[in-house]
Amino acid sequence: MCGIVGYVGPQQALPILMNGLKRLEYRGYDSAGIALLSNSGLMVAKTAGKINVLEQKLSGTEIKSTQGIAHTRWATHGEPSQLNAHPHTDAEGEIALVHNGIIENFRTLREFLIQNGFTIRTETDTEILVHLIRFYYNGHLTEAVRIALNQVEGTYGIAVISAKHPNLIVAARMGSPLVIGHGEKEKLVASDVSALLEHTNRVVYLEDGEIATITPDYYDITTIQNVKISHRIHEVNMTLEEIEKGGFDHFMLKEIYEQPTTLRNAIRGRLNQEEGISRLNGLNLQYDELRNIKRIVITACGTSWHAGLIGEYMIEELARIPVEVEYASELRYRSPIFDEDTILFAISQSGETADTLAAMREAKKHGVTVLGLVNVVGSTIARETDGGVYIHAGPEIGVASTKAFTSQVMVLTLLTVLLGRMRQISVPAGQEFLEGIQKIPDKVERILKNCDQIKKIASAYYKKNNFLYLGRGINFPVALEGALKLKEISYIHAEGYPAAEMKHGPIALIDENMPVVVIALKDAVYDKVMSNISEIKARNGKIIAIANEGDTEIAERVNHVIYIPKTSRLLSPLLSIIPLQLLAYYIAVMRGCHVDQPRNLAKSVTVE
Ligand code: G6P
């Protein structure tokens, strides 16, 4: 995720900004840059890759500057490269800007700027913003920023400096955090307190829709409608380590709790409620091409493969297109039947998984259109596909995937409604599905509030050596993913099964020592799942049920119930997985396991 640091004060800005960027490294990034203001004007240095590459580039440069802004970029629009890295400047090289977030209407703004004689040099949404500020600049930097931001739709945290305004940083926020640090006759601005905590623990948090005018001695905050605001200074009493994890004990827990936000990011700007359809322009496919798809093959590994299975249930049901989901490691070595009406979807958080990449390349050799569903922008899979959709989950640091999984599933719901509307579902049906999608983030938020009950259940079972997870229909892949989460981080043997398959094997394992997690939602197969529950109970298995709010009947038949809000059946995996992530997390913590970096596992498997 992108990071911002800015400094204005009496000290040399370069080392302060570089240290600040290093403090933000944990967020993940793919390029970095800095702009320093001195008597000779603005100096900008940018590089693709890590901060030490930027440091090497700057070594030996003698710049006396006490003011600057710096950025680590995690690409969203345009590949990670020196050109696309921030800061971006206007054509005259007078204004420099760093930006976190996504400008959704940047295409319209770009057209507007081109018509007004501006030349656009990069593929980024950010460059548009600096030109827009230049366009409205009339001797007052804060005002130019204010007018420009009034044209912007989307999210931003920005810091701007100008050669015409020494000792001034203008910062603004909408959806992307920004904090101002108060030192002794100096000010810092950052996307995250960890970048400024070495200098001060006195901070002011900017709120959405606010602009700050910052000089070494004072700051002034107004809304983008120019209403004056006063903010209380907070004293931060956390260690740096605690702050990087946002106050959570582990990155995995932080990422679990980020899901309401990451799910909102996955759908932002992609819903056309009026027509009951989604917009996924990155697929690079016209409506008639989408209509002509005869078969879809989804390939992936690990958690991403589970997301693919959920996609299969959704797409087949709503779009009536046959879907096959295959482990990439299998697909690459057999002789799959590919024809020109087949589309291959490669799903990958990292975009670098060796097997997924190889399977995808194999399909390409057969002339198949290959699309990607990827988190890391500019990754190899993203680059080599014919088109695709970024899931915008931000950097996932915990090895066990959580927020990337739900964002993958979320994007698959968008794909489903798009394909469905091309083929058989009506506008009202599409609208209803989209309404359900929009309510998911709030419902996830509600489930996350229930962590104490889940922790209590974890404490009753954390010493067990085996777990069984059961689900039916679209919640069968959720059972697989729940079991995978537990085995990855707690080293407990766990298996996921379709509930009805239990009697073909796993039932032999059930006794009073076997906890069985059953996803038992009020849908068409509810009664069948209840029969499975009776079979487990008859053998003294311990049952933890995931059930819908209001289902009081189930509470009498199982040992524990974790309630989740109701949603449509096809969207239910986005909710039912949340308690399973938390259950795995708490059990692993209670067993003293290294949750973020489990033994033997890698975040990105770039070897076979
Ligand atoms: C590794 C990770 C898993 C991930 C899998 C696929 O095994 O530990 O969490 O699901 O790779 O990775 P990808 O980046 O392709 O989604």
Side-chain angles (χ1 to χ4, degrees), residues 301-304 347-351 353 356 399 401 408 488 602-603 605:
C301 303
T303 289
S304 299
I347 306 183
S348 175
Q349 186 286 128
S350 62
T353 304
T356 310
V399 166
S401 184
Q408 287 165 344
E488 278 178 312
K603 183 70 191 156
V605 183

Side-chain angles (χ1 to χ4, degrees), residues 62-250:
E62 274 292 309
I63 302 172
K64 294 267 171 274
S65 162
T66 59
Q67 179 189 359
I69 50 176
H71 192 257
T72 44
R73 174 173 186 250
W74 196 80
T76 58
H77 291 76
E79 56 165 1
S81 65
Q82 181 174 326
L83 182 68
N84 289 338
H86 304 201
H88 287 280
T89 55
D90 62 333
E92 290 77 15
E94 279 178 8
I95 304 174
L97 172 142
V98 289
H99 165 225
N100 290 355
I102 299 172
I103 311 283
E104 279 158 15
N105 61 337
F106 86 102
R107 285 190 183 82
T108 318
L109 295 173
R110 179 162 56 190
E111 282 311 304
F112 169 78
L113 288 165
I114 291 170
Q115 277 162 21
N116 281 285
F118 284 80
T119 305
I120 313 296
R121 294 163 298 201
T122 73
E123 304 152 59
T124 64
D125 50 340
T126 304
E127 189 196 345
I128 304 304
L129 197 47
V130 75
H131 295 309
L132 207 59
I133 293 169
R134 175 81 226 183
F135 181 74
Y136 291 115
Y137 180 73
N138 198 4
H140 196 305
L141 189 60
T142 306
E143 283 319 303
V145 171
R146 189 190 319 283
I147 302 168
L149 291 181
N150 272 295
Q151 321 288 314
V152 162
E153 286 164 24
T155 54
Y156 50 79
I158 57 168
V160 188
I161 56 174
S162 162
K164 292 244 169 74
H165 298 271
N167 285 324
L168 172 68
I169 299 178
V170 178
R173 166 193 165 140
M174 179 66 82
S176 277
L178 269 190
V179 56
I180 305 167
H182 292 257
E184 193 58 30
K185 292 212 176 298
E186 63 183 3
K187 299 272 181 294
L188 293 103
V189 59
S191 48
D192 181 321
V193 266
S194 57
L196 44 82
L197 208 61
E198 270 170 60
H199 306 277
T200 179
N201 69 342
R202 302 181 70 233
V203 302
V204 166
Y205 295 97
L206 270 194
E207 300 294 339
D208 279 350
E210 292 179 353
I211 304 180
T213 305
I214 305 163
T215 73
D217 302 309
Y218 81 94
Y219 72 93
D220 170 63
I221 300 176
T222 50
T223 66
I224 63 169
Q225 286 80 32
N226 207 6
V227 178
K228 208 167 166 43
I229 300 280
S230 62
H231 272 283
R232 204 166 64 79
I233 294 185
H234 294 261
E235 296 215 345
V236 181
N237 296 315
M238 277 202 232
T239 64
L240 275 171
E241 234 244 319
E242 278 169 345
I243 284 171
E244 285 166 359
K245 290 181 185 150
F248 289 97
D249 290 342
H250 298 95

